[in-house]
PDB file of all heavy atoms in Angstrom:
ATOM      1  N   MET A1317       4.763   6.646  -0.482  1.00 78.00           N
ATOM      2  CA  MET A1317       5.033   5.828  -1.658  1.00 78.00           C
ATOM      3  C   MET A1317       4.316   6.406  -2.864  1.00 78.00           C
ATOM      4  O   MET A1317       3.177   6.861  -2.760  1.00 78.00           O
ATOM      5  CB  MET A1317       4.549   4.401  -1.413  1.00 78.00           C
ATOM      6  CG  MET A1317       4.992   3.423  -2.447  1.00 78.00           C
ATOM      7  SD  MET A1317       4.561   1.772  -1.908  1.00 78.00           S
ATOM      8  CE  MET A1317       3.613   1.260  -3.304  1.00 78.00           C
ATOM      9  N   GLY A1318       4.990   6.397  -3.994  1.00 63.00           N
ATOM     10  CA  GLY A1318       4.360   6.798  -5.237  1.00 63.00           C
ATOM     11  C   GLY A1318       4.308   8.282  -5.447  1.00 63.00           C
ATOM     12  O   GLY A1318       3.475   8.770  -6.213  1.00 63.00           O
ATOM     13  N   SER A1319       5.164   9.020  -4.807  1.00 61.00           N
ATOM     14  CA  SER A1319       5.168  10.461  -4.974  1.00 61.00           C
ATOM     15  C   SER A1319       5.320  10.814  -6.446  1.00 61.00           C
ATOM     16  O   SER A1319       6.218  10.349  -7.131  1.00 61.00           O
ATOM     17  CB  SER A1319       6.320  11.064  -4.165  1.00 61.00           C
ATOM     18  OG  SER A1319       6.294  12.453  -4.281  1.00 61.00           O
ATOM     19  N   GLY A1320       4.388  11.607  -6.952  1.00 64.00           N
ATOM     20  CA  GLY A1320       4.450  12.043  -8.342  1.00 64.00           C
ATOM     21  C   GLY A1320       3.777  11.102  -9.320  1.00 64.00           C
ATOM     22  O   GLY A1320       3.810  11.329 -10.523  1.00 64.00           O
ATOM     23  N   ARG A1321       3.171  10.016  -8.829  1.00 72.00           N
ATOM     24  CA  ARG A1321       2.455   9.120  -9.735  1.00 72.00           C
ATOM     25  C   ARG A1321       1.224   8.581  -9.034  1.00 72.00           C
ATOM     26  O   ARG A1321       1.156   8.541  -7.809  1.00 72.00           O
ATOM     27  CB  ARG A1321       3.352   7.989 -10.229  1.00 72.00           C
ATOM     28  CG  ARG A1321       3.830   7.069  -9.147  1.00 72.00           C
ATOM     29  CD  ARG A1321       4.799   6.030  -9.721  1.00 72.00           C
ATOM     30  NE  ARG A1321       5.386   5.305  -8.624  1.00 72.00           N
ATOM     31  CZ  ARG A1321       5.351   3.992  -8.510  1.00 72.00           C
ATOM     32  NH1 ARG A1321       4.798   3.272  -9.434  1.00 72.00           N
ATOM     33  NH2 ARG A1321       5.896   3.407  -7.472  1.00 72.00           N
ATOM     34  N   ASP A1322       0.272   8.177  -9.812  1.00 82.00           N
ATOM     35  CA  ASP A1322      -0.967   7.646  -9.253  1.00 82.00           C
ATOM     36  C   ASP A1322      -0.784   6.181  -8.870  1.00 82.00           C
ATOM     37  O   ASP A1322      -0.209   5.390  -9.618  1.00 82.00           O
ATOM     38  CB  ASP A1322      -2.107   7.766 -10.267  1.00 82.00           C
ATOM     39  CG  ASP A1322      -2.539   9.197 -10.494  1.00 82.00           C
ATOM     40  OD1 ASP A1322      -2.303  10.032  -9.598  1.00 82.00           O
ATOM     41  OD2 ASP A1322      -3.114   9.491 -11.553  1.00 82.00           O
ATOM     42  N   LEU A1323      -1.265   5.839  -7.696  1.00 90.00           N
ATOM     43  CA  LEU A1323      -1.231   4.461  -7.215  1.00 90.00           C
ATOM     44  C   LEU A1323      -2.646   3.928  -7.138  1.00 90.00           C
ATOM     45  O   LEU A1323      -3.584   4.682  -6.876  1.00 90.00           O
ATOM     46  CB  LEU A1323      -0.584   4.384  -5.832  1.00 90.00           C
ATOM     47  CG  LEU A1323       0.868   4.806  -5.729  1.00 90.00           C
ATOM     48  CD1 LEU A1323       1.325   4.755  -4.281  1.00 90.00           C
ATOM     49  CD2 LEU A1323       1.746   3.923  -6.589  1.00 90.00           C
ATOM     50  N   SER A1324      -2.780   2.637  -7.338  1.00 93.00           N
ATOM     51  CA  SER A1324      -4.089   2.002  -7.272  1.00 93.00           C
ATOM     52  C   SER A1324      -4.020   0.758  -6.416  1.00 93.00           C
ATOM     53  O   SER A1324      -3.020   0.036  -6.424  1.00 93.00           O
ATOM     54  CB  SER A1324      -4.570   1.599  -8.671  1.00 93.00           C
ATOM     55  OG  SER A1324      -4.751   2.722  -9.487  1.00 93.00           O
ATOM     56  N   GLY A1325      -5.098   0.518  -5.696  1.00 95.00           N
ATOM     57  CA  GLY A1325      -5.258  -0.722  -4.954  1.00 95.00           C
ATOM     58  C   GLY A1325      -6.225  -1.607  -5.703  1.00 95.00           C
ATOM     59  O   GLY A1325      -6.948  -1.151  -6.599  1.00 95.00           O
ATOM     60  N   LEU A1326      -6.235  -2.876  -5.347  1.00 96.00           N
ATOM     61  CA  LEU A1326      -7.105  -3.850  -6.003  1.00 96.00           C
ATOM     62  C   LEU A1326      -8.020  -4.470  -4.956  1.00 96.00           C
ATOM     63  O   LEU A1326      -7.547  -5.025  -3.958  1.00 96.00           O
ATOM     64  CB  LEU A1326      -6.261  -4.939  -6.679  1.00 96.00           C
ATOM     65  CG  LEU A1326      -7.002  -5.981  -7.493  1.00 96.00           C
ATOM     66  CD1 LEU A1326      -7.676  -5.331  -8.705  1.00 96.00           C
ATOM     67  CD2 LEU A1326      -6.042  -7.075  -7.943  1.00 96.00           C
ATOM     68  N   ARG A1327      -9.320  -4.351  -5.191  1.00 97.00           N
ATOM     69  CA  ARG A1327     -10.307  -4.949  -4.284  1.00 97.00           C
ATOM     70  C   ARG A1327     -10.503  -6.423  -4.618  1.00 97.00           C
ATOM     71  O   ARG A1327     -10.127  -6.893  -5.695  1.00 97.00           O
ATOM     72  CB  ARG A1327     -11.639  -4.223  -4.403  1.00 97.00           C
ATOM     73  CG  ARG A1327     -11.626  -2.808  -3.886  1.00 97.00           C
ATOM     74  CD  ARG A1327     -13.045  -2.216  -3.861  1.00 97.00           C
ATOM     75  NE  ARG A1327     -13.010  -0.881  -3.341  1.00 97.00           N
ATOM     76  CZ  ARG A1327     -13.000   0.228  -4.086  1.00 97.00           C
ATOM     77  NH1 ARG A1327     -13.002   0.141  -5.406  1.00 97.00           N
ATOM     78  NH2 ARG A1327     -12.970   1.411  -3.511  1.00 97.00           N
ATOM     79  N   LYS A1328     -11.129  -7.112  -3.708  1.00 97.00           N
ATOM     80  CA  LYS A1328     -11.416  -8.534  -3.892  1.00 97.00           C
ATOM     81  C   LYS A1328     -12.255  -8.772  -5.141  1.00 97.00           C
ATOM     82  O   LYS A1328     -12.051  -9.758  -5.851  1.00 97.00           O
ATOM     83  CB  LYS A1328     -12.143  -9.074  -2.650  1.00 97.00           C
ATOM     84  CG  LYS A1328     -12.410 -10.560  -2.693  1.00 97.00           C
ATOM     85  CD  LYS A1328     -13.068 -11.017  -1.412  1.00 97.00           C
ATOM     86  CE  LYS A1328     -13.322 -12.513  -1.452  1.00 97.00           C
ATOM     87  NZ  LYS A1328     -13.923 -12.978  -0.192  1.00 97.00           N
ATOM     88  N   ASP A1329     -13.154  -7.840  -5.447  1.00 97.00           N
ATOM     89  CA  ASP A1329     -14.018  -8.003  -6.616  1.00 97.00           C
ATOM     90  C   ASP A1329     -13.308  -7.664  -7.934  1.00 97.00           C
ATOM     91  O   ASP A1329     -13.901  -7.716  -9.003  1.00 97.00           O
ATOM     92  CB  ASP A1329     -15.296  -7.175  -6.474  1.00 97.00           C
ATOM     93  CG  ASP A1329     -15.066  -5.669  -6.482  1.00 97.00           C
ATOM     94  OD1 ASP A1329     -13.926  -5.211  -6.776  1.00 97.00           O
ATOM     95  OD2 ASP A1329     -16.032  -4.929  -6.198  1.00 97.00           O
ATOM     96  N   GLY A1330     -12.028  -7.301  -7.864  1.00 96.00           N
ATOM     97  CA  GLY A1330     -11.256  -7.003  -9.067  1.00 96.00           C
ATOM     98  C   GLY A1330     -11.249  -5.537  -9.457  1.00 96.00           C
ATOM     99  O   GLY A1330     -10.528  -5.150 -10.382  1.00 96.00           O
ATOM    100  N   SER A1331     -12.041  -4.725  -8.781  1.00 96.00           N
ATOM    101  CA  SER A1331     -12.068  -3.299  -9.110  1.00 96.00           C
ATOM    102  C   SER A1331     -10.860  -2.596  -8.505  1.00 96.00           C
ATOM    103  O   SER A1331     -10.326  -3.016  -7.477  1.00 96.00           O
ATOM    104  CB  SER A1331     -13.372  -2.647  -8.619  1.00 96.00           C
ATOM    105  OG  SER A1331     -13.460  -2.708  -7.203  1.00 96.00           O
ATOM    106  N   GLU A1332     -10.421  -1.546  -9.165  1.00 96.00           N
ATOM    107  CA  GLU A1332      -9.290  -0.755  -8.691  1.00 96.00           C
ATOM    108  C   GLU A1332      -9.791   0.540  -8.073  1.00 96.00           C
ATOM    109  O   GLU A1332     -10.865   1.024  -8.430  1.00 96.00           O
ATOM    110  CB  GLU A1332      -8.344  -0.431  -9.847  1.00 96.00           C
ATOM    111  CG  GLU A1332      -7.631  -1.639 -10.396  1.00 96.00           C
ATOM    112  CD  GLU A1332      -6.613  -1.293 -11.464  1.00 96.00           C
ATOM    113  OE1 GLU A1332      -6.150  -0.119 -11.509  1.00 96.00           O
ATOM    114  OE2 GLU A1332      -6.270  -2.188 -12.256  1.00 96.00           O
ATOM    115  N   PHE A1333      -8.988   1.090  -7.178  1.00 95.00           N
ATOM    116  CA  PHE A1333      -9.328   2.367  -6.563  1.00 95.00           C
ATOM    117  C   PHE A1333      -8.040   3.125  -6.287  1.00 95.00           C
ATOM    118  O   PHE A1333      -6.999   2.525  -6.000  1.00 95.00           O
ATOM    119  CB  PHE A1333     -10.170   2.173  -5.293  1.00 95.00           C
ATOM    120  CG  PHE A1333      -9.487   1.355  -4.218  1.00 95.00           C
ATOM    121  CD1 PHE A1333      -8.960   1.980  -3.097  1.00 95.00           C
ATOM    122  CD2 PHE A1333      -9.392  -0.024  -4.327  1.00 95.00           C
ATOM    123  CE1 PHE A1333      -8.347   1.241  -2.104  1.00 95.00           C
ATOM    124  CE2 PHE A1333      -8.768  -0.773  -3.332  1.00 95.00           C
ATOM    125  CZ  PHE A1333      -8.251  -0.139  -2.219  1.00 95.00           C
ATOM    126  N   PRO A1334      -8.074   4.473  -6.397  1.00 94.00           N
ATOM    127  CA  PRO A1334      -6.866   5.270  -6.174  1.00 94.00           C
ATOM    128  C   PRO A1334      -6.523   5.339  -4.688  1.00 94.00           C
ATOM    129  O   PRO A1334      -7.413   5.445  -3.838  1.00 94.00           O
ATOM    130  CB  PRO A1334      -7.244   6.648  -6.722  1.00 94.00           C
ATOM    131  CG  PRO A1334      -8.728   6.710  -6.594  1.00 94.00           C
ATOM    132  CD  PRO A1334      -9.226   5.304  -6.777  1.00 94.00           C
ATOM    133  N   ILE A1335      -5.224   5.260  -4.401  1.00 94.00           N
ATOM    134  CA  ILE A1335      -4.779   5.239  -3.005  1.00 94.00           C
ATOM    135  C   ILE A1335      -3.543   6.102  -2.810  1.00 94.00           C
ATOM    136  O   ILE A1335      -2.831   6.415  -3.764  1.00 94.00           O
ATOM    137  CB  ILE A1335      -4.463   3.804  -2.529  1.00 94.00           C
ATOM    138  CG1 ILE A1335      -3.396   3.152  -3.426  1.00 94.00           C
ATOM    139  CG2 ILE A1335      -5.703   2.959  -2.443  1.00 94.00           C
ATOM    140  CD1 ILE A1335      -2.925   1.786  -2.954  1.00 94.00           C
ATOM    141  N   GLU A1336      -3.331   6.481  -1.564  1.00 93.00           N
ATOM    142  CA  GLU A1336      -2.078   7.056  -1.097  1.00 93.00           C
ATOM    143  C   GLU A1336      -1.554   6.105  -0.035  1.00 93.00           C
ATOM    144  O   GLU A1336      -2.325   5.536   0.737  1.00 93.00           O
ATOM    145  CB  GLU A1336      -2.285   8.436  -0.465  1.00 93.00           C
ATOM    146  CG  GLU A1336      -2.491   9.521  -1.468  1.00 93.00           C
ATOM    147  CD  GLU A1336      -2.573  10.903  -0.837  1.00 93.00           C
ATOM    148  OE1 GLU A1336      -2.671  11.008   0.405  1.00 93.00           O
ATOM    149  OE2 GLU A1336      -2.557  11.873  -1.599  1.00 93.00           O
ATOM    150  N   ILE A1337      -0.232   5.940  -0.008  1.00 94.00           N
ATOM    151  CA  ILE A1337       0.376   5.000   0.930  1.00 94.00           C
ATOM    152  C   ILE A1337       1.534   5.660   1.656  1.00 94.00           C
ATOM    153  O   ILE A1337       2.372   6.319   1.036  1.00 94.00           O
ATOM    154  CB  ILE A1337       0.899   3.744   0.204  1.00 94.00           C
ATOM    155  CG1 ILE A1337      -0.230   3.053  -0.561  1.00 94.00           C
ATOM    156  CG2 ILE A1337       1.539   2.772   1.191  1.00 94.00           C
ATOM    157  CD1 ILE A1337       0.228   1.864  -1.369  1.00 94.00           C
ATOM    158  N   GLY A1338       1.570   5.480   2.966  1.00 93.00           N
ATOM    159  CA  GLY A1338       2.720   5.863   3.775  1.00 93.00           C
ATOM    160  C   GLY A1338       3.377   4.601   4.301  1.00 93.00           C
ATOM    161  O   GLY A1338       2.683   3.695   4.763  1.00 93.00           O
ATOM    162  N   LEU A1339       4.696   4.516   4.183  1.00 94.00           N
ATOM    163  CA  LEU A1339       5.428   3.330   4.631  1.00 94.00           C
ATOM    164  C   LEU A1339       6.262   3.659   5.862  1.00 94.00           C
ATOM    165  O   LEU A1339       6.888   4.718   5.923  1.00 94.00           O
ATOM    166  CB  LEU A1339       6.372   2.835   3.522  1.00 94.00           C
ATOM    167  CG  LEU A1339       5.735   2.505   2.177  1.00 94.00           C
ATOM    168  CD1 LEU A1339       6.807   2.103   1.181  1.00 94.00           C
ATOM    169  CD2 LEU A1339       4.698   1.409   2.324  1.00 94.00           C
ATOM    170  N   ASN A1340       6.275   2.736   6.810  1.00 95.00           N
ATOM    171  CA  ASN A1340       7.061   2.907   8.035  1.00 95.00           C
ATOM    172  C   ASN A1340       7.743   1.595   8.390  1.00 95.00           C
ATOM    173  O   ASN A1340       7.067   0.569   8.515  1.00 95.00           O
ATOM    174  CB  ASN A1340       6.164   3.320   9.200  1.00 95.00           C
ATOM    175  CG  ASN A1340       5.602   4.691   9.011  1.00 95.00           C
ATOM    176  OD1 ASN A1340       6.332   5.665   9.074  1.00 95.00           O
ATOM    177  ND2 ASN A1340       4.305   4.774   8.760  1.00 95.00           N
ATOM    178  N   PRO A1341       9.074   1.622   8.563  1.00 96.00           N
ATOM    179  CA  PRO A1341       9.751   0.401   9.006  1.00 96.00           C
ATOM    180  C   PRO A1341       9.420   0.130  10.471  1.00 96.00           C
ATOM    181  O   PRO A1341       9.321   1.053  11.270  1.00 96.00           O
ATOM    182  CB  PRO A1341      11.229   0.726   8.819  1.00 96.00           C
ATOM    183  CG  PRO A1341      11.310   2.212   8.847  1.00 96.00           C
ATOM    184  CD  PRO A1341       9.989   2.731   8.365  1.00 96.00           C
ATOM    185  N   VAL A1342       9.236  -1.139  10.799  1.00 95.00           N
ATOM    186  CA  VAL A1342       8.899  -1.549  12.161  1.00 95.00           C
ATOM    187  C   VAL A1342       9.736  -2.772  12.514  1.00 95.00           C
ATOM    188  O   VAL A1342       9.729  -3.754  11.773  1.00 95.00           O
ATOM    189  CB  VAL A1342       7.393  -1.898  12.284  1.00 95.00           C
ATOM    190  CG1 VAL A1342       7.054  -2.374  13.678  1.00 95.00           C
ATOM    191  CG2 VAL A1342       6.521  -0.734  11.888  1.00 95.00           C
ATOM    192  N   LYS A1343      10.449  -2.696  13.641  1.00 95.00           N
ATOM    193  CA  LYS A1343      11.210  -3.851  14.101  1.00 95.00           C
ATOM    194  C   LYS A1343      10.283  -4.735  14.932  1.00 95.00           C
ATOM    195  O   LYS A1343       9.656  -4.262  15.874  1.00 95.00           O
ATOM    196  CB  LYS A1343      12.408  -3.411  14.928  1.00 95.00           C
ATOM    197  CG  LYS A1343      13.462  -2.703  14.104  1.00 95.00           C
ATOM    198  CD  LYS A1343      14.645  -2.279  14.953  1.00 95.00           C
ATOM    199  CE  LYS A1343      15.628  -1.517  14.092  1.00 95.00           C
ATOM    200  NZ  LYS A1343      16.745  -0.977  14.848  1.00 95.00           N
ATOM    201  N   THR A1344      10.194  -5.995  14.550  1.00 92.00           N
ATOM    202  CA  THR A1344       9.349  -6.950  15.261  1.00 92.00           C
ATOM    203  C   THR A1344      10.181  -8.173  15.626  1.00 92.00           C
ATOM    204  O   THR A1344      11.337  -8.289  15.228  1.00 92.00           O
ATOM    205  CB  THR A1344       8.157  -7.406  14.386  1.00 92.00           C
ATOM    206  OG1 THR A1344       8.645  -8.278  13.357  1.00 92.00           O
ATOM    207  CG2 THR A1344       7.426  -6.227  13.769  1.00 92.00           C
ATOM    208  N   GLU A1345       9.551  -9.100  16.342  1.00 89.00           N
ATOM    209  CA  GLU A1345      10.247 -10.345  16.664  1.00 89.00           C
ATOM    210  C   GLU A1345      10.528 -11.162  15.410  1.00 89.00           C
ATOM    211  O   GLU A1345      11.380 -12.038  15.405  1.00 89.00           O
ATOM    212  CB  GLU A1345       9.465 -11.170  17.695  1.00 89.00           C
ATOM    213  CG  GLU A1345       8.115 -11.657  17.233  1.00 89.00           C
ATOM    214  CD  GLU A1345       6.984 -10.646  17.409  1.00 89.00           C
ATOM    215  OE1 GLU A1345       7.220  -9.540  17.939  1.00 89.00           O
ATOM    216  OE2 GLU A1345       5.859 -10.964  17.005  1.00 89.00           O
ATOM    217  N   LYS A1346       9.823 -10.878  14.317  1.00 87.00           N
ATOM    218  CA  LYS A1346      10.073 -11.555  13.035  1.00 87.00           C
ATOM    219  C   LYS A1346      11.138 -10.841  12.217  1.00 87.00           C
ATOM    220  O   LYS A1346      11.409 -11.220  11.096  1.00 87.00           O
ATOM    221  CB  LYS A1346       8.777 -11.629  12.226  1.00 87.00           C
ATOM    222  CG  LYS A1346       7.724 -12.523  12.847  1.00 87.00           C
ATOM    223  CD  LYS A1346       6.570 -12.719  11.912  1.00 87.00           C
ATOM    224  CE  LYS A1346       6.982 -13.794  10.975  1.00 87.00           C
ATOM    225  NZ  LYS A1346       6.029 -14.569  10.308  1.00 87.00           N
ATOM    226  N   GLY A1347      11.691  -9.777  12.760  1.00 94.00           N
ATOM    227  CA  GLY A1347      12.682  -8.988  12.030  1.00 94.00           C
ATOM    228  C   GLY A1347      12.067  -7.687  11.549  1.00 94.00           C
ATOM    229  O   GLY A1347      10.994  -7.280  11.994  1.00 94.00           O
ATOM    230  N   LEU A1348      12.732  -7.051  10.615  1.00 96.00           N
ATOM    231  CA  LEU A1348      12.246  -5.776  10.090  1.00 96.00           C
ATOM    232  C   LEU A1348      11.033  -6.019   9.199  1.00 96.00           C
ATOM    233  O   LEU A1348      11.050  -6.889   8.330  1.00 96.00           O
ATOM    234  CB  LEU A1348      13.350  -5.072   9.296  1.00 96.00           C
ATOM    235  CG  LEU A1348      13.015  -3.664   8.827  1.00 96.00           C
ATOM    236  CD1 LEU A1348      12.812  -2.726  10.021  1.00 96.00           C
ATOM    237  CD2 LEU A1348      14.121  -3.131   7.929  1.00 96.00           C
TER     238      LEU A1348
END
């Protein structure tokens, strides 16, 4: 996720931090 752009996460204390994210679809009993 976010290829070519910077992504940030948000901590509980309100501070941001740079992140990389990989997404994977998963079939569960609740659906996709």
Side-chain angles (χ1 to χ4, degrees):
M1317 190 172 124
S1319 182
R1321 64 184 171 125
D1322 290 337
L1323 297 176
S1324 296
L1326 184 65
R1327 292 188 179 98
K1328 184 177 181 178
D1329 66 9
S1331 63
E1332 292 185 22
F1333 60 104
I1335 57 174
E1336 283 185 349
I1337 302 176
L1339 303 177
N1340 293 291
V1342 178
K1343 291 180 183 175
T1344 72
E1345 64 275 358
K1346 293 189 82 156
L1348 186 64

